Amino acid sequence: MNRRDFLMSGLGAAGAAMAPAAFAKPKAGAQAGGAFPPGFYWGAATAAYQVEGAYREDGKGESIWDRFVLAPGKIKNGDTGNVACDSYHRYRDDIALLKAMNLKSYRFSIGWTRIQPDGAGAVNQKGLDYYSRLTDALLEAGIRPLPTLYHWDLPQNLEDRGGWPVRDTADRFADYAGIMGKALGDRIENWSLFNESKTFTALGYNQGVFAPGRKDPFAFIRSTHVVNLAHGLGFKALKAANPKLKVGSVYDVTPMIPASDRPEDVAAADIWDRWQNLWFAATVIDGRYPDGVFPADRQGDLLNWRDGDGERMHADLDFVGLNYYSGTLCAYGKGASGVPFIDVDAQWPYAPPAFETAKTDFGWNVYPQGFHDILVRMHKVTGNRPIEITENGCAYNMGPAADGQIHDPQRIAFYRDHFAAMLMAIREGVPVRGYHAWSLMDNFEWASGYSQRFGLTYVDFANGQTRTIKDSGRWYAGVAAANRI
């Protein structure tokens, strides 16, 4: 079967139902304001490697990002996360920012190498003590802790033993999850397992632009299966530590929009939706992979599947976290995916003259309609499980003006339009219970170093990581206080 025939054979009911209308214009009423449900969680998000710093303090081990940033040419300007926002020492300052913005939920991640420096074996008590202090300080401030166990910082020792393509890594993750559930489960109810599985596996093992920097498509495909196994095993480990815990995971999702009404483009969008949006989220919930991505007679070998893996990776998640930034235009033809049997062009390769979109300073398209559309689409996958928006935001890189303040009207407009799209989805029955802006503050933006600023708070990295809430942060504080736009 050639690639075109495979794409066409993969077009099923889901693909046939997709509108092949390229960029959909915002629906009528999308800009309307209104109130959010009572008790809605307004929050902000960060991640350990991006903000903590203190990369060698109190027994912390080496992660793949600690190693990767040292490779010449991998990170813009040679930046590292060695100090970042210094949140390891300044977490109380971070909590003060949350309070100043009237936020009631803080999504952060736990650095695995602070807990187990080598990814296995003995627990580093000083690392546990740090997250215990952070948890207590959040609770004292009336803020819900929402930790993510894995936000891309695999212990380097586990990578040296094969990393995510090796099945044993899933067992090591389950051990780590159990440790955290026992240590903090008395105070933290809601836990996320992973952040953006599709991104760290693809960019780390296929494209090589993120840690650990490998370019092996078959190791990449195996890594997706091991991460799904780790979801199931980690879920069970947390529940075993404390059955009262509510366990979810975080998936980055994007509406897949056919570039035209050609059957080939519609089929490409359908398969890309299964691969990008369902391969982790639907698989973990269902205990089986979506059909039509790989030929059935090759999938087992590609994944290194073993009997019983369906049950091992199955997790009846209590809630689902979704990250949204933009949409993806799909077309049949030469693609940049590097994944066997899939052809899809890079993000937004076409610019239909009927609908140009604004762009952030990172070059990402601003497409709030896609936020509504992907929430409606994923609701059909996740059922009635509560949804937390765990990331949504934009990079605009303006610094302090003459008055010392950071005036960022573009970010305010971005959030206003996305909140309207989210509210429209809620009114249509999507069970969104919370929203976390990315990010609480400017931080280390992976391969882009400190060149891109997503924060509601400006961080002066050259002068002691001092923090200044931006205009957008003050605007967001008003939204959170009123629970409406």
Side-chain angles (χ1 to χ4, degrees):
M1 181 182 292
N2 63 37
R3 298 170 79 126
R4 182 185 186 281
D5 290 341
F6 179 76
L7 270 174
M8 297 305 294
S9 70
L11 178 58
M18 294 181 67
F23 298 88
K25 292 185 178 181
K27 297 178 181 177
Q31 302 301 316
F36 283 80
F40 191 84
Y41 283 106
W42 292 102
T46 63
Y49 187 79
Q50 294 180 271
V51 301
E52 284 182 357
Y55 79 116
R56 276 289 186 263
E57 289 191 38
D58 291 340
K60 179 187 173 299
E62 183 185 26
S63 77
I64 55 175
W65 275 93
D66 292 322
R67 176 77 61 88
F68 186 71
V69 296
L70 302 178
K74 292 295 185 180
I75 311 297
K76 189 166 185 175
N77 300 321
D79 292 337
T80 76
N82 293 357
V83 177
C85 303
D86 198 28
S87 289
Y88 188 78
H89 300 110
R90 301 186 56 168
Y91 66 91
R92 292 190 181 277
D93 295 340
D94 301 343
I95 294 172
L97 295 173
L98 292 163
K99 289 191 69 175
M101 287 185 247
N102 301 312
L103 304 182
K104 298 297 184 182
S105 183
Y106 181 40
R107 182 193 172 222
F108 61 96
S109 77
I110 294 169
W112 190 345
T113 57
R114 291 201 191 278
I115 309 305
Q116 292 178 295
D118 290 328
V123 173
N124 174 35
Q125 189 60 44
K126 289 185 177 180
L128 275 181
D129 290 345
Y130 166 69
Y131 292 108
S132 181
R133 293 193 301 271
L134 173 61
T135 297
D136 288 344
L138 287 166
L139 293 173
E140 290 168 5
I143 298 170
R144 179 189 63 159
L146 184 62
T148 301
L149 287 174
Y150 186 82
H151 199 127
W152 305 0
D153 44 0
L154 185 71
Q156 182 63 45
N157 179 59
L158 295 186
E159 175 60 27
D160 292 342
R161 292 159 57 176
W164 283 113
V166 175
R167 292 175 66 98
D168 182 66
T169 305
D171 294 305
R172 302 288 71 75
F173 176 79
D175 292 343
Y176 158 57
I179 291 167
M180 296 311 304
K182 292 175 183 177
L184 296 180
D186 61 329
R187 286 160 285 167
I188 300 178
E189 180 181 18
N190 293 277
W191 294 77
S192 295
L193 295 162
F194 284 87
N195 179 76
E196 297 190 355
S197 300
K198 80 176 186 189
T199 296
F200 76 78
T201 54
L203 300 187
Y205 290 96
N206 186 40
Q207 298 181 31
V209 295
F210 278 10
R214 291 164 63 176
K215 296 182 180 181
D216 183 342
F218 293 101
F220 159 50
I221 294 169
R222 290 194 300 273
S223 77
T224 69
H225 184 52
V226 175
V227 169
N228 278 331
L229 291 172
H231 271 85
L233 297 176
F235 177 89
K236 296 172 180 68
L238 281 169
K239 292 289 191 177
N242 186 337
K244 296 181 179 180
L245 300 183
K246 303 298 184 183
V247 184
S249 201
V250 173
Y251 306 99
D252 51 325
V253 291
T254 172
M256 301 297 173
I257 305 166
S260 77
D261 59 2
R262 293 190 311 155
E264 296 93 333
D265 291 346
V266 176
D270 174 56
I271 292 180
W272 201 237
D273 174 65
R274 300 181 198 190
W275 175 237
Q276 294 282 277
N277 291 327
L278 306 188
W279 192 255
F280 294 98
T283 295
V284 168
I285 292 171
D286 297 339
R288 61 181 297 274
Y289 284 99
D291 296 330
V293 176
F294 299 117
D297 61 347
R298 294 202 58 190
Q299 181 165 297
D301 288 339
L302 288 168
L303 296 174
N304 191 23
W305 179 275
R306 296 182 186 175
D307 289 343
D309 277 359
E311 177 54 33
R312 291 186 185 98
M313 65 187 184
H314 172 63
D316 186 10
L317 299 176
D318 296 301
F319 68 92
V320 175
L322 298 180
N323 295 354
Y324 173 77
Y325 288 96
S326 191
T328 300
L329 195 65
C330 298
Y332 174 79
K334 292 183 179 180
S337 69
V339 179
F341 315 114
I342 294 177
D343 275 323
V344 63
D345 285 304
Q347 289 233 347
W348 306 97
Y350 307 112
F355 184 39
E356 297 281 358
T357 69
K359 289 182 171 57
T360 69
D361 287 350
F362 214 171
W364 296 357
N365 283 75
V366 178
Y367 190 51
Q369 180 65 44
F371 193 22
H372 164 272
D373 295 347
I374 197 61
L375 285 174
V376 172
R377 194 271 180 277
M378 294 307 296
H379 177 36
K380 296 176 183 177
V381 175
T382 61
N384 291 322
R385 293 173 178 83
I387 291 173
E388 301 259 1
I389 305 307
T390 35
E391 288 183 28
N392 175 237
C394 49
Y396 291 108
N397 301 326
M398 60 283 293
D403 61 1
Q405 300 303 304
I406 297 85
H407 306 300
D408 54 344
Q410 300 97 321
R411 183 174 285 106
I412 294 173
F414 178 97
Y415 280 123
R416 181 185 292 112
D417 291 346
H418 283 76
F419 293 173
M422 176 173 60
L423 183 58
M424 182 165 58
I426 291 171
R427 288 172 174 169
E428 294 171 10
V430 181
V432 181
R433 73 179 185 193
Y435 176 96
H436 300 80
W438 185 269
S439 175
L440 174 62
M441 54 194 164
D442 299 334
N443 54 47
F444 178 84
E445 184 50 43
W446 307 114
S448 298
Y450 298 100
S451 68
Q452 298 298 320
R453 293 180 176 270
F454 280 84
L456 294 163
T457 303
Y458 182 85
V459 179
D460 189 342
F461 296 106
N463 294 289
Q465 289 76 36
T466 56
R467 287 114 156 97
T468 304
I469 296 178
K470 303 175 185 179
D471 285 358
S472 58
R474 290 192 288 271
W475 177 85
Y476 188 41
V479 172
N483 196 36
R484 64 183 300 120
I485 51 173

